[in-house]
């Protein structure tokens, strides 16, 4: 099998050999687990001789994460080797895994099957030295019938040889780390020779249930008198006799494959949706003629319909919003292998932050993920393991790869078709568009007419063309305006649901709320899938550059790796071909700590909203599709600028989905107290499978009263100390306020080209020239010029002694050429010891002008060290939007207070922008003892230009004069 004449790793026509068909019959329970330590050796090439010396490797697990010299490598589009498909390099790491298995004696006479959950990328199976099978497709299980090669009651030696690079690597060119190994569990199980080969469940929202069973006999013929029965939550289902009769007349059916159908209508069915994941237990039994049970298959049934009506995707007849995320299999310690608990934790977190949909980018996930999605309530776009990004055009019509496309798509559908959570099939990702896609789509549409098919590579040719292999217009990173224009064009024929949008690399996801405002305002737009869930940073030891592996458990917290460790990205394992930090583009850190964008998402997805405040009260709306408010608990919170917040429990009227009601204001608004806001604290009323009772679901807010403008009483008998350079001298400041135009470039700034322009302009360190210092009465006016390579920025600061402190009035004039700077504002540094920030403004989490809807206005308090968000590649971080005032204090309550003329962007961190920009990893940062404080008159939006649109023009900083004012007071 591995002779010179046959090289299965370079034969795309060969998708498998000896591999059993896929089915929806789940054999995990009752199986013998073969997980654990296996004998292991890594060969330099698949045809290198196996040696006598073995080490060991944990299965499931990638060897690239387990101490071998073959380390993880990250590339996005490009293949890690130059060979053209289907060729691969001669140096081709090959892992040989071996162990003995005691085959249970009670399996005598049974059909014995080996299941390898996933192997990357070619699996060759030998038992007792005899070849048993071959399989490709790194993200689906491969099963092999061992009945003829093992003997129950005896010991067998199983060898799993995994070849890393193959023809299949060229169609597994997803944007992620390359690994090698067996990455999902290995099982051995036994069935009766006559067994349930497949069970197909169709269950509609009105309670109609149809279960089609295929019975297969290992020897061929089916004996007389055998039958199938079913039980749904204790209710017996019987075989459909009409179907049986029709089958009996049809020779083709009864000769080799037995088919049986069970039918029922469930009265008053509790329909399944992502909001109401109601499941019924179905047990299908295959009986011998004497009634004894030969085989059993258990399923969980969700009664639901998915259809496309016009340009709307409907679930149970309702047009839903798809609040999705793209999720890869990732773990910082294993690289690829994820446990049930990991998957559950991922989904629980997504649920808590308002997501209702997952695209399994870019391959089928572990079967348990779909069980969890059924159970917790997610709409899943199930995606086949096909991405030929680097050689997309060649492969999409290369006949040698046709089998692989159809095989991968059909195997996924065969496996996952009974999951109510799966609502759309995806043919793969970024593989151009060729006849292979049409072939695969045709197979799916025939086999499963109950679900739409999508494929971005087809849809992008024309969002509206019905002939293409995509029932959904599923672009990636389309600008909001293009989506809206399409929906308004009158030409839309399909639902528009972006398969990827809002790229979460670093400090990102600007304009997410604008996307959703457009989606909710525009019929025809239904949402999309944020790119992506994870920052794929691998926990790495800094001393030897090795992955920490499973031994690294607990060596991280709050998104930060423990001392001596870091989150590795592309290039950190010494790869020369790599794509750097582009692998860190998720809404969670590598340890699943949420990034601030998630709080924004939670609010955007709020099931209950405060629509507006009118004199008679606030208008509350139910924004769910299927549920009332019974599962939620409410409290009103009145937030006033000059006083503590007051909270009272709230009772809301019963609202059906889509309904609104006016609710009287629960509070008398205090006469004084300035600006006032009303927050509705929405929490879970009971324990939910994904959240304990009392978990925050959303915090919608309306403004009740605007802030009065800032007034100051000048004091004549005190002056402000300013040195000859025009710099403020102040006991609490170690660096006086100067003008800042720059931020440590975010990944969006870098990849979008803004950072390069800023460097060209010299924005990071413009030369400051004092033009004049004028003292008049208690006022000092300082005029300075900041010289950039694109012109001079004139800056004026007027310092006035006012009651309680110093008033600083500033203006800066940006010349025409500086038409897109990072910020315009003041920066200063404080003495050490001021470690606590208390502010009135948006918070408590990080927010920026185009990513701030989720942060309610209130009184917030955080230690300075917790304000900073540890983005993997250090960059602008820790900003708070809409800050009206703050104090920065030491434990003895001394410190300083700043009040701003109006809500402004503020950041308080331990790092200068230049410190951040100079570091490549978070662990290289050395916190300064004092605080670096930025008060911004204007701060550029974040956008998503690392992949996709930049921020909208309204979040760019215009040229011309910017003015701002603030007071500085000593506590
Ligand atoms: C998309 C692709 C994803 C990922 C993303 C950028 O084009 O489908 O796999 O590469 O861009 O992070
Ligand atoms: Mg790609």
């Amino acid at each position: 099998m591995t002779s010179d004449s046959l090289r299965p790793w370079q034969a795309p026509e060969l998708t498998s050999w000896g591999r059993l068909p896929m089915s929806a019959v789940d054999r995990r329970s009752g199986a013998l687990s073969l997980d654990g330590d296996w004998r292991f050796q890594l060969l330099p090439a698949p045809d290198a001789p196996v040696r006598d010396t073995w080490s060991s490797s944990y299965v499931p697990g990638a060897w690239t994460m387990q101490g071998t010299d073959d380390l993880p490598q990250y590339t996005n589009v490009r293949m890690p080797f130059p060979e053209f498909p289907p060729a691969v390099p001669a140096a081709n790491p090959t892992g040989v895994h071996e162990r003995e298995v005691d085959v249970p004696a009670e399996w005598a006479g049974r059909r014995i099957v080996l299941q390898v959950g996933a192997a990357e990328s070619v699996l060759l199976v030998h038992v007792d030295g005899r070849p048993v099978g071959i399989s490709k497709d790194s993200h689906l299980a491969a099963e092999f019938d061992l009945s003829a090669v093992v003997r129950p009651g005896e010991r067998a030696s199983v060898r799993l040889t995994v070849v890393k690079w193959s023809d299949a690597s060229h169609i597994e060119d997803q944007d992620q780390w390359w690994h090698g190994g067996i990455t999902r569990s290995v099982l051995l199980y036994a069935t009766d020779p006559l067994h349930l080969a497949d069970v197909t469940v169709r269950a509609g929202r009105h309670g109609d249930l149809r279960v089609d069973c295929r019975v297969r006999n290992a020897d061929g013929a089916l004996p007389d008198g055998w039958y199938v029965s079913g039980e749904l939550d204790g209710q017996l289902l019987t075989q459909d006799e009409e179907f049986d009769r029709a089958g009996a007349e049809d020779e083709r059916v009864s000769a080799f494959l037995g088919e049986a159908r069970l039918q029922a209508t469930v009265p008053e069915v509790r329909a399944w949706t992502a909001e109401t994941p109601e499941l019924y237990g179905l047990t299908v039994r295959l009986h011998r003629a004497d009634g004894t049970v030969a085989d059993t298959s258990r399923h969980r049934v969700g009664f639901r319909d998915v259809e496309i009506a016009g340009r709307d995707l409907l679930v149970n007849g309702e047009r839903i919003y798809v609040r999705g995320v793209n999720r890869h299999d990732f773990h910082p310690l294993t690289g690829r292998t994820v446990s049930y608990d990991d998957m559950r934790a991922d989904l629980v977190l997504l649920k808590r932050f308002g997501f209702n949909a997952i695209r399994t980018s870019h391959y089928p996930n572990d079967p348990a993920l779909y069980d969890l999605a059924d159970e917790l309530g997610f709409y899943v776009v199930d995606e086949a393991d096909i991405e030929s990004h680097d050689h997309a055009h060649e492969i999409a019509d290369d006949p040698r790869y046709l089998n692989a496309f159809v095989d991968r798509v059909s195997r996924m559908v065969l496996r996952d078709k009974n999951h109510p959570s799966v609502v759309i099939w995806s043919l793969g990702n970024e593989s151009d568009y060729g006849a292979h896609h049409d072939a695969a789509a045709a197979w799916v549409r025939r086999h499963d007419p109950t679900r739409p098919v999508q494929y971005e590579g087809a849809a992008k040719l024309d969002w509206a063309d019905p002939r293409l292999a995509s029932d959904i217009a599923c672009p990636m990173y389309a600008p909001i305006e293009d989506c809206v224009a399409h929906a308004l064009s009158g030409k839309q024929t399909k639902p528009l649901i972006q398969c990827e949008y809002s790229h979460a690399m670093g400090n990102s996801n600007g304009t997410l709320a604008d996307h959703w405002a457009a989606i909710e305002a525009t019929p025809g737009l239904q949402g999309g899938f944020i790119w992506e869930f994870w920052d794929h940073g691998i926990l790495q030891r800094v001393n030897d550059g090795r992955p920490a592996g499973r031994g690294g458990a607990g060596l991280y917290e709050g998104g930060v790796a423990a001392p001596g460790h870091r989150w590795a990205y592309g290039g950190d394992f010494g790869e020369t071909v790599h794509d750097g930090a582009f692998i860190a583009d998720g809404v969670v850190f590598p340890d699943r700590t949420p990034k601030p964008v998630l709080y924004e998402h939670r609010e955007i997805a709020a099931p209950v909203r405060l629509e507006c405040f009118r004199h008679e009260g606030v208008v509350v709306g139910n924004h769910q599709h299927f549920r009332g408010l019974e599962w939620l608990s409410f409290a009103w919170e009145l937030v006033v600028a000059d006083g503590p917040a007051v909270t009272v429990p709230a009772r809301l009227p019963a609202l059906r989905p889509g309904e609104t009601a006016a609710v009287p204001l629960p509070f008398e608004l205090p006469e004084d107290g300035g600006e006032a806001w009303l927050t509705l604290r929405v929490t879970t009323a009971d324990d939910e499978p994904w959240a304990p009772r009392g978990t925050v679901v959303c915090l919608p807010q309306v403004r009740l009263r605007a802030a009065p403008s800032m007034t100051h009483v000048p004091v004549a008998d005190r002056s402000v100390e300013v040195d000859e350079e025009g710099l403020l001298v102040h006991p609490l400041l170690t660096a006086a306020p100067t003008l800042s135009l720059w931020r440590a470039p975010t990944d969006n700034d870098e990849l979008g080209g803004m950072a390069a322009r800023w460097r060209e302009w010299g924005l990071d360190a413009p030369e400051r020239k004092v033009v004049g210092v004028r003292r008049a009465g208690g006022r000092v006016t300082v005029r300075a010029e900041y010289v950039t390579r694109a012109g001079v920025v004139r800056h004026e600061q007027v310092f006035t002694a006012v009651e309680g402190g110093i008033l600083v009035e500033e203006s800066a004039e940006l010349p025409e050429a500086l038409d897109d700077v990072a910020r315009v504002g003041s920066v200063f540094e404080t003495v050490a010891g001021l470690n606590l920030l208390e502010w009135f403004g948006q918070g408590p989490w990080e927010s920026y002008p185009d990513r701030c809807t989720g942060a309610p206005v209130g009184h917030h308090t955080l230690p300075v060290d917790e304000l900073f968000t540890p983005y993997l590649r250090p960059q602008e971080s820790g900003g708070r939007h809409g800050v009206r005032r703050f104090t920065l204090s030491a434990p003895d309550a001394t410190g300083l207070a700043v009040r701003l003329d109006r809500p402004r962007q503020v950041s308080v961190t331990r790092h200068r922008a230049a410190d951040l920009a100079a570091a490549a990893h978070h662990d290289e940062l050395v916190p300064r003892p004092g605080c670096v404080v930025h008060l911004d008159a204007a701060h550029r939006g974040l956008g998503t230009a690392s992949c996709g649109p930049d921020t909208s023009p309204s979040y760019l900083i215009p040229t011309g004069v910017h003015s701002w004012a603030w007071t500085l007071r000593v506590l």
Side-chain angles (χ1 to χ4, degrees):
M1 178 164 86
T2 59
S3 71
D4 275 354
S5 51
L6 177 59
R7 302 164 74 86
W9 49 92
Q10 251 175 214
E13 306 85 347
L14 177 72
T15 53
S16 62
W17 171 70
R19 183 182 179 192
L20 294 174
M22 225 69 188
S23 99
V25 177
D26 180 358
R27 300 292 181 181
R28 283 172 291 172
S29 72
L32 197 69
S33 168
L34 302 187
D35 290 353
D37 290 321
W38 287 51
R39 280 194 299 283
F40 176 77
Q41 56 179 287
L42 189 63
L43 307 179
D47 25 27
V50 176
R51 299 172 305 258
D52 292 334
T53 44
W54 297 86
S55 61
S56 95
S57 175
Y58 188 81
V59 172
W63 68 68
T64 33
M65 298 293 290
Q66 297 193 49
T68 69
D69 287 334
D70 184 31
L71 291 168
Q73 176 177 4
Y74 165 57
T75 66
N76 171 13
V77 176
R78 56 187 151 166
M79 289 295 290
F81 49 80
E83 281 77 4
F84 223 68
V88 295
N92 188 0
T94 298
V96 184
H97 307 70
E98 218 178 67
R99 64 165 279 173
E100 273 65 57
V101 180
D102 291 316
V103 182
E106 58 275 22
W107 287 1
R110 292 172 70 77
R111 170 180 162 263
I112 298 170
V113 178
L114 173 74
Q115 184 189 86
V116 180
E120 136 166 26
S121 70
V122 177
L123 170 70
L124 310 170
V125 183
H126 291 79
V127 174
D128 292 333
R130 291 161 63 185
V132 165
I134 298 178
S135 147
K136 298 176 186 175
D137 188 346
S138 301
H139 294 91
L140 278 178
E143 294 194 331
F144 306 92
D145 189 337
L146 304 190
S147 313
V149 289
V150 296
R151 266 192 299 277
E154 292 186 12
R155 174 167 280 205
S157 165
V158 177
R159 174 184 288 187
L160 304 179
T161 304
V162 180
V163 184
K164 185 172 179 184
W165 305 126
S166 71
D167 55 86
S169 308
H170 291 283
I171 55 169
E172 294 182 3
D173 181 21
Q174 291 98 354
D175 176 4
Q176 59 175 343
W177 292 99
W178 293 97
H179 289 290
I182 298 167
T183 55
R184 292 187 192 150
S185 290
V186 181
L187 310 172
L188 196 68
Y189 67 83
T191 72
D192 197 283
L194 202 92
H195 58 279
L196 287 165
D198 201 6
V199 172
T200 303
V201 180
R202 299 247 166 100
R205 74 180 190 276
H206 298 300
D208 37 308
L209 175 69
R210 197 180 98 183
V211 183
D212 285 317
C213 310
R214 281 186 169 236
V215 179
R216 187 175 293 132
N217 187 349
D219 305 329
L222 286 179
D224 275 350
W226 286 53
Y227 63 97
V228 170
S229 76
E231 201 182 308
L232 185 80
D233 271 6
Q235 289 283 110
L236 277 186
L237 311 173
T238 44
Q239 229 167 283
D240 182 334
E241 286 175 16
E242 216 166 288
F243 181 82
D244 292 348
R245 261 197 307 282
E249 282 158 22
D250 184 345
E251 300 249 315
R252 286 172 308 149
V253 174
S254 49
F256 178 67
L257 288 174
E259 293 186 10
R261 174 171 294 175
L262 305 169
Q263 295 221 93
T265 304
V266 179
E268 289 168 39
V269 75
R270 300 180 312 274
W272 187 97
T273 70
E275 290 174 14
T276 58
E278 296 281 357
L279 294 172
Y280 289 70
L282 169 70
T283 308
V284 177
R285 294 191 180 91
L286 171 66
H287 301 265
R288 302 183 184 93
D290 64 1
T292 52
V293 176
D295 199 4
T296 306
S297 176
R298 293 206 164 73
H299 304 262
R300 286 185 310 175
V301 179
F303 289 83
R304 63 112 184 86
D305 294 319
V306 181
E307 72 202 285
I308 291 177
R311 57 181 185 170
D312 294 328
L313 176 74
L314 308 182
V315 170
N316 298 350
E318 287 293 320
R319 177 176 180 268
I320 53 154
Y321 286 127
V322 175
R323 304 182 185 280
V325 75
N326 281 278
R327 182 190 164 284
H328 265 290
D329 278 348
F330 171 76
H331 193 280
L333 303 183
T334 66
R336 192 87 87 217
T337 297
V338 287
S339 67
Y340 175 85
D341 290 342
D342 292 326
M343 288 181 268
R344 191 167 200 289
D346 293 356
L347 268 53
V348 159
L349 183 135
L350 287 169
K351 208 66 191 169
R352 288 192 191 177
F353 285 98
F355 290 87
N356 70 356
I358 295 168
R359 174 173 175 238
T360 67
S361 55
H362 297 301
Y363 38 78
N365 287 183
D366 187 283
L369 186 114
Y370 305 82
D371 296 341
L372 286 161
D374 293 343
E375 201 173 295
L376 296 170
F378 285 94
Y379 303 118
V380 172
V381 172
D382 200 4
E383 187 151 283
D385 189 5
I386 304 174
E387 173 161 346
S388 57
H389 209 157
D390 201 7
H391 298 286
H393 186 66
E394 299 91 292
I395 289 178
D397 278 313
D398 180 337
R400 293 173 295 178
Y401 276 96
L402 170 63
N403 292 354
F405 277 57
V406 179
D407 186 59
R408 285 165 184 245
V409 173
S410 62
R411 280 183 178 271
M412 170 183 77
V413 173
L414 286 165
R415 188 192 67 164
D416 295 336
K417 58 183 179 271
N418 292 345
H419 289 281
S421 56
V422 174
V423 293
I424 297 173
W425 301 115
S426 163
L427 304 179
N429 189 55
E430 297 187 319
S431 304
D432 207 315
Y433 181 34
H436 300 355
H437 293 102
D438 286 332
W443 187 94
V444 178
R445 285 170 173 154
R446 172 69 182 260
H447 189 84
D448 178 20
T450 71
R451 293 175 176 93
V453 170
Q454 77 172 48
Y455 175 52
E456 183 269 341
K460 76 175 174 198
L461 298 182
D462 181 343
W463 291 359
D465 187 342
R467 292 165 306 177
L468 305 174
S470 191
D471 303 323
I472 315 267
C474 50
M476 39 174 81
Y477 311 107
I480 305 173
E481 316 76 73
D482 293 6
C483 297
V484 172
H486 180 64
L488 299 180
S489 68
K491 299 200 178 104
Q492 189 180 4
T493 57
K494 307 174 183 183
L496 201 165
I497 303 167
Q498 295 215 52
C499 72
E500 294 177 27
Y501 82 111
S502 199
H503 196 248
M505 184 177 184
N507 190 354
S508 184
N509 303 100
T511 73
L512 186 61
D514 304 81
H515 267 278
W516 275 95
I519 291 164
E520 295 195 357
T522 315
L525 305 188
Q526 280 189 266
F529 296 81
I530 290 179
W531 186 266
E532 67 174 309
F533 182 60
W534 286 107
D535 265 359
H536 305 219
I538 291 177
L539 189 71
Q540 183 187 34
R541 291 193 294 264
V542 176
N543 59 2
D544 64 0
R546 295 275 169 164
R550 285 173 190 273
L555 291 175
Y556 43 75
E557 207 194 328
V560 178
H565 296 76
R566 65 180 185 183
W567 300 126
Y569 52 74
D572 290 341
F573 292 109
E575 323 101 279
T576 47
V577 177
H578 67 82
D579 288 298
F582 205 63
I583 192 64
D585 54 0
V587 292
V588 298
F589 286 98
D591 65 350
R592 210 186 283 107
T593 296
K595 287 190 186 173
V597 59
L598 282 183
Y599 295 93
E600 162 125 315
H601 188 272
R602 186 173 76 182
E603 214 50 48
I604 290 171
V608 181
R609 309 208 189 147
L610 299 182
E611 314 288 348
C612 59
F613 166 55
R614 298 203 201 106
H615 292 302
E616 64 273 24
V618 284
V619 177
V620 183
N622 176 359
H623 284 253
Q624 300 167 97
H625 297 295
F626 302 100
R627 265 185 302 190
L629 307 184
E630 326 66 66
W631 65 287
L632 297 168
S633 177
F634 303 95
W636 294 115
E637 193 172 277
L638 177 67
V639 176
V640 288
D642 301 320
V646 188
T647 305
V648 296
R651 290 181 63 86
L652 296 185
L655 292 176
R656 285 197 303 266
E659 280 186 346
T660 57
V663 179
L665 249 202
F667 301 98
E668 283 286 320
L669 211 50
E671 288 289 303
D672 46 9
E675 188 177 353
W677 291 77
L678 181 69
T679 312
L680 183 64
R681 283 188 75 81
V682 184
T683 52
T684 48
D686 293 302
D687 288 346
E688 295 285 335
W690 49 272
R693 174 177 176 203
T695 301
V696 172
V697 173
C698 56
L699 300 166
Q701 201 177 39
V702 281
R703 193 174 72 181
L704 302 179
R705 192 165 60 201
S709 53
M710 192 160 93
T711 52
H712 305 282
V713 185
V715 284
D717 57 343
R718 230 184 57 228
S719 63
V720 180
E721 197 185 334
V722 170
D723 68 15
E724 325 74 80
E725 289 300 306
L727 296 171
L728 177 71
V729 179
H730 190 281
L732 293 177
L733 303 192
T734 55
T738 52
L739 178 69
S740 170
L741 301 167
W742 188 65
R743 67 184 177 202
T746 63
D747 291 311
N748 290 326
D749 296 338
E750 286 292 356
L751 296 172
M754 290 76 87
R757 214 173 320 132
W758 297 338
R759 277 191 288 267
E760 224 168 84
W761 291 342
L763 279 200
D764 50 335
E767 193 194 341
R768 177 179 180 273
K769 290 187 184 158
V770 190
V771 179
V773 179
R774 192 157 44 92
R775 293 183 166 80
R779 282 178 139 216
V780 186
T781 303
V782 178
R783 284 188 298 115
E785 286 180 356
Y786 286 72
V787 185
T788 77
R789 284 189 280 277
V792 170
V793 181
R794 273 184 259 284
H795 179 228
E796 187 180 88
Q797 283 174 318
V798 181
F799 299 98
T800 313
V802 293
E803 224 167 63
I806 300 165
L807 169 67
V808 188
E809 292 162 294
E810 306 195 48
S811 70
E813 186 180 354
L814 295 181
E816 281 305 301
L818 288 182
D819 58 357
D820 182 12
V821 299
R823 58 165 30 121
V824 177
S826 328
V827 59
F828 59 83
E829 291 175 19
T830 74
V831 295
L834 308 183
N835 294 339
L836 190 73
L837 184 79
E838 293 174 81
W839 75 101
F840 180 58
Q842 289 189 250
W845 34 83
E846 181 194 88
S847 53
Y848 283 83
D850 61 351
R851 202 193 68 217
C852 65
T853 50
V857 175
H859 298 279
H860 304 288
T861 304
L862 275 177
V864 170
D865 291 330
E866 290 175 26
L867 291 163
F868 187 74
T869 310
Y871 296 112
L872 262 62
R873 196 190 61 76
Q875 52 196 280
E876 164 63 31
S877 165
R880 297 297 186 279
H881 191 65
V883 176
R884 284 84 167 146
R885 61 172 200 241
F886 63 87
T887 64
L888 200 45
S889 60
D892 63 1
T894 59
L896 57 85
V898 168
R899 181 178 277 270
L900 294 139
D901 55 346
R902 57 189 178 85
R904 302 273 185 192
Q905 181 79 19
V906 167
S907 77
V908 180
T909 67
R910 302 277 185 212
H911 310 288
R912 292 182 186 158
D915 301 340
L916 296 170
H921 292 87
H922 185 74
D923 66 300
E924 295 156 29
L925 293 173
V926 184
R928 291 177 182 273
C931 299
V932 179
V933 181
H934 279 274
L935 316 176
D936 293 331
H939 193 102
R940 189 191 196 280
L942 300 167
T944 60
S946 53
C947 181
D950 191 4
T951 194
S952 305
S954 58
Y955 302 109
L956 298 180
I957 299 179
T959 56
V961 178
H962 294 262
S963 309
W964 66 107
W966 49 287
T967 58
L968 177 65
R969 193 161 58 85
V970 176
L971 289 178

